[in-house]
Amino acid sequence: MILHLKNSVSKGNAKTIADSIGAFLIHSDGKNVLISGSGMKEVPASIENDVDKSWVFDTDIQLASKKYRSNKREVKIGNSIIGGTTNSTMLIGGPCSVESEEQIRQSAELIKSMGLTTLRGGCYKPRTSPYSFQGMGLDGLKLLAKMREEFGLNIITEARDATHIAEIIEYSDIIQVGAKAMYDQGILRACAKTNKPVMIKRGFGTTLKEFVQAAEFVLSGGNENVILCERGLRTFETNTRFTLDLCGVAWLQEHTNLPIILDPSHAMGYAYGVPVLSKACVAMGIDGLIIEAHPNPKVAKSDASQQLNHEEFKQLFETLKPVASAVGYNMI
Ligand code: PEP
Ligand code: MN
């Protein structure tokens, strides 16, 4: 249940009221908002006089639901805004992993030269094998920070586990919670305590409900800047790396109030499919695309098969513009 307290209730009293019914308290749009589990179906009599408005839910998808907020939330990323009524599709690009200063500078130059704003690059890679490249760690984050300084770009980079979440929060403009990390309570709770945008990737075996509940952890902890990212599910099919769940995206658009970014690179697993899949994504009217691009994909230290080269990435941007415009969106 979500309860808006009356404006006459002070912040201090709101905390006491929240504690008395075991609810979360957040301050949103100048209001004191209490959130309790969906098991609560009636406003407790003890606090009835303090409550202005209440919403009852069937499931624990509450703050993220359209039923609570019918308008899509806005998320500010540097000087850009996605979601809300912006109808902007933000193209985020860059390599799977930060590999060297030279490599990430070439990526930053590409993003800047195209008039885009946001550079991706992983430093703590959640690899399936311990013998694969694990990422540059803090040295990589420092390179990303240098690119932010030099080129005025926003940085998105992923948290693999909670041991380095403080560094990720410090160095990134969007915190990426990886598909394998989205159940990590340490990461989610830390993300709830910052106001930086958080992009949560859906696990490849995660139901839509579990996915949105991960977002609820961050929202109910007080961070309203949450973005969902669909990046493909594991199915019986082995010719593609994963299966991009566009049905799931339609469900999220209908039932949640969160901006949605799609990741066709990881879903497809092969560069040849990324442009056509990206067009399908953009045609759905989405808030962003995150695409892997590498100066020389053949020698990439992770996800080599799916990364576009820089020429392909530039072409992709051009081909997506008319698709976005056909559905009333604008590529940014
Ligand atoms: C990535 O973005 O490089 C990545 C590892 O993604 P995911 O968490 O979706 O596998
Ligand atoms: Mn990758």
Side-chain angles (χ1 to χ4, degrees):
M1 184 176 236
I2 300 178
L3 306 124
H4 281 188
L5 297 184
K6 289 182 179 158
N7 289 339
S8 52
V9 179
S10 70
K11 269 193 185 179
N13 278 348
K15 177 82 181 98
T16 312
I17 294 168
D19 290 346
S20 76
I21 61 162
F24 288 84
L25 168 65
I26 59 170
H27 308 290
S28 173
D29 286 343
K31 290 190 169 25
N32 290 314
V33 180
L34 305 192
I35 313 110
S36 181
S38 55
M40 187 179 280
K41 302 292 183 198
E42 275 174 20
V43 178
S46 59
I47 66 165
E48 227 166 38
N49 291 338
D50 302 309
V51 174
D52 180 27
K53 236 177 142 183
S54 61
W55 291 258
V56 174
F57 298 90
D58 299 333
T59 75
D60 280 351
I61 298 177
Q62 303 190 97
L63 290 166
S65 81
K66 272 259 162 70
K67 188 172 165 188
Y68 172 55
R69 280 172 76 141
S70 56
N71 297 327
K72 186 159 57 176
R73 292 170 186 262
E74 274 185 3
V75 174
K76 193 164 185 291
I77 299 162
N79 294 323
S80 312
I81 295 176
I82 60 167
T85 54
T86 59
N87 280 14
S88 295
T89 304
M90 176 180 272
L91 179 59
I92 300 171
C96 179
S97 300
V98 177
E99 298 172 4
S100 67
E101 180 159 348
E102 192 194 344
Q103 173 240 23
I104 200 64
R105 176 166 286 111
Q106 283 178 272
S107 303
E109 278 166 359
L110 170 76
I111 297 300
K112 188 73 186 174
S113 71
M114 291 169 66
L116 299 175
T117 58
T118 308
L119 174 68
R120 65 150 287 149
C123 300
Y124 294 90
K125 298 306 297 181
R127 303 310 297 278
T128 307
S129 165
Y131 311 117
S132 308
F133 176 62
Q134 304 293 306
M136 289 183 74
L138 184 57
D139 290 341
L141 292 182
K142 288 183 177 161
L143 290 178
L144 287 173
K146 202 165 172 183
M147 296 308 115
R148 183 207 283 117
E149 276 301 302
E150 281 183 33
F151 295 91
L153 296 171
N154 306 312
I155 300 299
I156 174 165
T157 191
E158 77 206 85
R160 179 178 61 208
D161 58 61
T163 58
H164 51 258
I165 184 64
E167 290 164 20
I168 298 289
I169 293 173
E170 181 185 340
Y171 282 88
S172 61
D173 299 289
I174 309 174
I175 302 152
Q176 175 175 327
V177 180
K180 292 175 185 156
M182 61 145 275
Y183 292 101
D184 188 313
Q185 299 287 314
I187 291 179
L188 295 174
R189 288 173 198 278
C191 288
K193 291 203 189 96
T194 166
N195 274 326
K196 284 199 175 170
V198 181
M199 185 185 83
I200 304 177
K201 297 186 95 176
R202 182 182 181 189
F204 48 72
T206 298
T207 64
L208 291 165
K209 186 177 168 198
E210 288 169 341
F211 183 29
V212 184
Q213 283 182 165
E216 290 279 336
F217 266 101
V218 181
L219 294 165
S220 63
N223 185 352
E224 304 205 59
N225 301 306
V226 181
I227 303 161
L228 299 174
C229 177
E230 162 62 32
R231 47 75 76 205
L233 303 179
R234 171 144 299 157
T235 66
F236 54 80
E237 185 52 66
T238 54
N239 284 299
T240 58
R241 190 177 182 192
F242 295 99
T243 297
L244 192 64
D245 184 15
L246 297 186
C247 296
V249 172
W251 188 92
L252 294 168
Q253 287 176 329
E254 178 71 15
H255 296 280
T256 80
N257 56 39
L258 299 175
I260 301 170
I261 290 182
L262 268 64
D263 174 353
S265 299
H266 288 87
M268 186 69 202
Y270 300 97
Y272 75 84
V274 172
V276 70
L277 207 48
S278 297
K279 285 191 216 165
C281 294
V282 169
M284 290 188 77
I286 54 165
D287 305 292
L289 266 186
I290 183 161
I291 305 284
E292 287 189 344
H294 191 286
N296 184 0
K298 279 196 200 74
V299 301
K301 292 187 176 175
S302 59
D303 288 349
S305 65
Q306 71 196 30
Q307 303 204 53
L308 301 184
N309 65 36
H310 286 185
E311 212 36 59
E312 290 166 335
F313 186 77
K314 281 194 246 178
Q315 267 173 28
L316 175 72
F317 188 39
E318 293 311 313
T319 58
L320 292 178
K321 286 177 185 171
V323 182
S325 126
V327 295
Y329 273 68
N330 187 28
M331 297 295 304
I332 62 168

